[in-house]
Amino acid sequence: VFQGRILARRLVGQETRYEVEVKTPYRDRFPLVPREYVWVPNACGCPPLREGGEYLLMARRHVNYERTLNRILLQDDGYARPWTPREERLVREAARHC
């Protein structure tokens, strides 16, 4: 779970790749660098993340069977909400209980 700002969006085959500036990581299940690519397994623009917008994102690390592909994947059951101070407060409260 992290707060990020969308820098760019690009369609790559049947997937969408977002370049994201990582602002605040909330859960460190895997290390994040200041700029990451977040992949969405569709090209329809769902969820609708606009360039320049800040979001609270819950994504998973995806490593394929051969271990040749290691990326951050925002799946259909993932979480992508526009960032607000209320969202930040809710995440910080939840982090204390998890």
Side-chain angles (χ1 to χ4, degrees):
V1 177
F2 64 95
Q3 174 195 355
R5 184 168 62 94
I6 306 298
L7 301 175
R9 176 179 177 243
R10 181 175 180 198
L11 295 177
V12 179
Q14 296 297 313
E15 297 181 306
T16 306
R17 184 185 77 185
Y18 292 97
E19 183 178 352
V20 179
E21 175 187 358
V22 176
K23 296 226 173 213
T24 307
Y26 294 103
R27 286 293 298 258
D28 289 332
R29 297 222 174 194
F30 47 85
L32 294 172
V33 294
R35 290 221 174 152
E36 290 280 1
Y37 287 123
V38 175
W39 292 83
V40 177
N42 63 56
C44 71
C46 305
L49 304 177
R50 64 178 176 79
E51 290 181 35
E54 289 192 21
Y55 295 90
L56 187 63
L57 301 167
M58 182 176 71
R60 298 179 189 269
R61 175 73 67 188
H62 172 254
V63 180
N64 68 348
Y65 180 73
E66 295 86 13
R67 301 215 179 268
T68 58
L69 183 65
N70 185 348
R71 61 189 186 163
I72 299 173
L73 186 64
L74 182 60
Q75 297 173 310
D76 293 336
D77 63 345
Y79 187 84
R81 299 264 192 215
W83 183 89
T84 63
R86 179 182 180 274
E87 290 287 335
E88 180 178 21
R89 182 175 43 86
L90 291 173
V91 170
R92 288 195 188 277
E93 287 174 8
R96 280 187 249 152
H97 300 290
C98 297

